[in-house]
Amino acid sequence: MGVYHFLNDKHEIIYIGKSINIKNRVKSHFKAKASSKRKMMMKQIHDVSYYLIDSELLALITEAIE
């Protein structure tokens, strides 16, 4: 369980998500059929960061705050 960030080349957060299985969730973003907006975002991703959180509630709160 944790929160992940897609970062652009300036290390600015362009997307925040949370997941029980971060690795599988991040992979799914790249495998999913993409809209034009999503394709544009995917082109901007330069790095992925994440951190683990012990509880789903805390992950939801953290995602909302960020």
Side-chain angles (χ1 to χ4, degrees), residues 29-64:
H29 282 285
F30 293 96
K31 291 181 180 179
K33 185 175 180 180
S35 65
S36 59
K37 184 178 177 180
R38 180 178 222 143
K39 285 179 186 178
M40 183 186 263
M41 182 184 74
M42 292 297 157
K43 288 180 183 180
Q44 295 175 356
I45 295 172
H46 183 75
D47 200 4
V48 177
S49 68
Y50 69 93
Y51 48 93
L52 303 178
I53 298 177
D54 291 335
S55 118
E56 186 173 4
L57 177 59
L58 287 176
L60 285 165
I61 292 170
T62 302
E63 179 188 30

Side-chain angles (χ1 to χ4, degrees), residues 1-7 17 22-23 26 47-53 66:
M1 170 74 49
V3 175
Y4 60 93
H5 307 101
F6 290 155
L7 308 167
I22 296 172
K23 181 180 177 180
V26 168
D47 200 4
V48 177
S49 68
Y50 69 93
Y51 48 93
L52 303 178
I53 298 177
E66 290 186 353

Side-chain angles (χ1 to χ4, degrees), residues 18-29:
K18 65 120 184 101
S19 179
I20 293 171
N21 186 323
I22 296 172
K23 181 180 177 180
N24 288 342
R25 181 64 183 127
V26 168
K27 281 179 161 182
S28 76
H29 282 285

